[in-house]
Amino acid sequence: MDKIVYNSEYFSPKDTLNCGQVFRFFEYKKGYIVLSKDKACYLYCENDKTIIECEDNDKNYFYNYFDLNRDYSKIVESAKKENEFLSNCAIN
């Protein structure tokens, strides 16, 4: 098994999976099992990190699946500057 570790400030498993864009997941232990194509990962939070555990060969797949190359801090900062409504959403 391999692990991807990401800052939980910008990647909440619960919020990500319950947003309506992911359909093949279920709660497991302290997180979630996510199924996509013929792949699976275990997704959970630990302290201030989001952890993805998957087979070594699937690491790049889930890194891309969850769009972890994107700098979400820049998006949040931009949203805060756009208007009051977006600013309130970005803060919460």
Side-chain angles (χ1 to χ4, degrees):
M1 284 292 201
D2 207 349
K3 286 186 181 182
I4 301 169
V5 180
Y6 199 81
N7 186 336
S8 291
E9 182 178 3
Y10 300 109
F11 182 22
S12 160
K14 181 179 178 184
D15 292 344
T16 299
L17 297 177
N18 287 309
C19 74
Q21 295 181 12
V22 179
F23 304 103
R24 294 179 60 208
F25 70 93
F26 56 91
E27 291 184 27
Y28 178 74
K29 294 185 181 180
K30 60 180 182 172
Y32 303 88
I33 297 291
V34 178
L35 306 167
S36 178
K37 294 188 176 186
D38 61 343
K39 300 168 185 353
C41 72
Y42 176 45
L43 178 64
Y44 61 96
C45 284
E46 191 171 272
N47 300 320
D48 62 342
K49 302 295 181 199
T50 295
I51 315 289
I52 304 167
E53 292 184 12
C54 60
E55 294 294 324
D56 297 340
N57 295 340
D58 296 340
K59 185 174 180 178
N60 286 336
Y61 178 84
F62 283 108
Y63 201 86
N64 290 323
Y65 181 84
F66 291 113
D67 198 24
L68 300 180
N69 283 317
R70 191 169 311 277
D71 185 348
Y72 287 98
S73 64
K74 287 183 180 179
I75 294 170
V76 169
E77 288 307 311
S78 176
K80 287 179 182 178
K81 295 175 185 174
E82 280 293 315
N83 60 53
E84 186 177 344
F85 178 76
L86 286 179
S87 179
N88 288 334
C89 293
I91 293 170
N92 296 320

